[in-house]
Amino acid sequence: MKTVTTRFGTFGVQDMVECYPYGALRAVIPAKGTVITTGHGAFIPRSEATDERTKTGASLEFYPDGALRSIILQNRTPIATPAGEVLAEQILFYPDGAVKRVFPLCGRTSAYWSQEDEAGLLMPFAVATPLCGVTAKFLSLAFDDRGRMRSFTLFPGQIVDMDTPAGPVPVRIGAAFHPDGALRSVEPGRPTPVPTPAGMVLAFDPDATGITGDVNSLEFDPSGRLKHVAMVRTKLTVRDQAGNEQEIMPAIRESLCGNSETEPVAMTMAVEAGRLVVRRSPKEPAITVVGAQSGDFPARAAILPPAGLFAAMQQSACHGAPVSF
């Protein structure tokens, strides 16, 4: 049997051995019974596929300097993290050995193994975030190189309630944190009223499909001030210096369901120094609303009832044409 020598000892490997262009070991499938000892404990990497959900390919990956980058475990194994002990199937590391991301499950979905099948293997468990304890089914937990929680990612369909600088928000997909532990962002799980410099808006992004909770549509700066929000069923009325008013509403597209109907696109608002930057859709130019020195903005928001958005569009002469104020 072929063997390789690493920082973690010499061990047998199977046929799959991948190297960097200059020869350093990049990825392998180790022989059965191989044990990798790290600063976080001893782990047995996956050496064989046991069922249809087991991923194929390398279970050990290394950085160019030989440090361990990733390990997929033969069986779920406890690992101590800054958020508490987690039963993990995959662990990612920083080059210095600190835990980067932990995956409670690491299965593949196919015609024979669904996302629901995968989620059924996991029971909700408690995680200590910088703000509060959260109990749910998690796809992954991420940490920075100093051991501080960077984000958590929920299994699809999971929603947890969290207190945010904008008030209580039901959260799906995940949440991210600033290095000091302050909340960086969350993805609202349902349309939720949120205060902004223009007034109350309905925060929600129906197109949010984040693979991780690292980046979300409702964002805050370290002091808790709103930085960005995606809005539905919300109309902005903007007034120029001459007193003229213009309504800005979400753009409309054909339904993604392919039924020839139309649906609104989430409109976004970024809060920057002295201005609001609004986008009716990702494909349209930004609309800049400049504020007064007092921090007031010549814009006011109104949340519309479910049928009110289309009615307001029919009555509006400009339909939110992109202009700057």
Side-chain angles (χ1 to χ4, degrees):
M1 177 181 289
K2 183 177 181 179
T3 62
V4 295
T5 298
T6 73
R7 290 188 187 182
F8 307 91
T10 299
F11 51 84
V13 297
Q14 301 182 40
D15 293 338
M16 191 276 182
V17 177
E18 183 180 350
C19 295
Y20 288 99
Y22 49 85
L25 183 65
R26 182 172 185 173
V28 296
I29 301 176
K32 186 175 182 179
T34 298
V35 177
I36 301 296
T37 300
T38 74
H40 305 277
F43 302 103
I44 300 175
R46 190 201 63 223
S47 59
E48 58 185 355
T50 57
D51 52 37
E52 64 272 11
R53 72 171 287 267
T54 304
K55 289 183 177 180
T56 58
S59 57
L60 286 176
E61 296 182 21
F62 300 89
Y63 287 103
D65 67 353
L68 184 62
R69 179 181 180 274
S70 170
I71 180 169
I72 299 176
L73 303 167
Q74 185 68 40
N75 299 296
R76 294 182 70 200
T77 304
I79 178 171
T81 77
E85 186 176 86
V86 178
L87 280 173
E89 277 194 346
Q90 184 179 16
I91 308 166
L92 304 185
F93 300 91
Y94 287 100
D96 66 358
V99 173
K100 183 175 185 179
R101 194 180 294 267
V102 174
F103 297 86
L105 295 178
C106 184
R108 62 174 177 174
T109 58
S110 66
Y112 306 101
W113 190 258
S114 69
Q115 181 176 277
E116 290 73 23
D117 292 327
E118 185 77 353
L121 297 177
L122 189 65
M123 294 295 294
F125 61 95
V127 164
T129 79
L131 299 180
C132 61
V134 176
T135 299
K137 294 183 179 183
F138 295 90
L139 273 177
S140 68
L141 307 176
F143 308 92
D144 68 15
D145 56 4
R146 294 177 57 183
R148 299 168 298 196
M149 177 172 273
R150 188 160 50 89
S151 70
F152 66 74
T153 306
L154 299 166
F155 252 94
Q158 295 280 289
I159 293 181
V160 297
D161 293 323
M162 292 187 68
D163 289 328
T164 77
V169 174
V171 175
R172 61 177 173 140
I173 298 179
F177 305 90
H178 289 285
D180 66 356
L183 188 65
R184 180 190 298 272
S185 67
V186 296
E187 196 59 57
R190 293 183 292 273
T192 304
V194 165
T196 76
M200 198 71 72
V201 305
L202 205 58
F204 185 68
D205 184 358
D207 296 329
T209 56
I211 298 175
T212 71
D214 295 356
V215 179
N216 305 287
S217 66
L218 182 57
E219 299 179 43
F220 307 94
D221 70 12
S223 68
R225 286 190 293 266
L226 181 72
K227 285 186 62 178
H228 181 275
V229 61
M231 305 170 284
V232 294
R233 290 195 357 241
T234 298
K235 175 180 70 174
L236 292 178
T237 302
V238 180
R239 185 180 64 258
D240 65 16
Q241 293 181 349
N244 301 312
E245 291 190 344
Q246 178 180 2
E247 292 181 344
I248 305 172
M249 286 171 285
I252 294 295
R253 68 182 177 202
E254 291 187 6
S255 173
L256 297 180
C257 297
N259 55 12
S260 299
E261 296 182 356
T262 58
E263 61 187 8
V265 179
M267 186 165 65
T268 64
M269 177 195 297
V271 182
E272 301 178 359
R275 66 179 190 171
L276 305 177
V277 180
V278 181
R279 289 188 182 273
R280 298 177 63 235
S281 81
K283 297 181 179 180
E284 296 193 16
I287 304 167
T288 302
V289 182
V290 178
Q293 291 184 351
S294 62
D296 294 331
F297 293 91
R300 64 178 186 275
I303 297 175
L304 303 173
L309 179 61
F310 291 100
M313 286 183 167
Q314 292 173 355
Q315 296 172 5
S316 174
C318 59
H319 291 218
V323 295
S324 296
F325 289 83

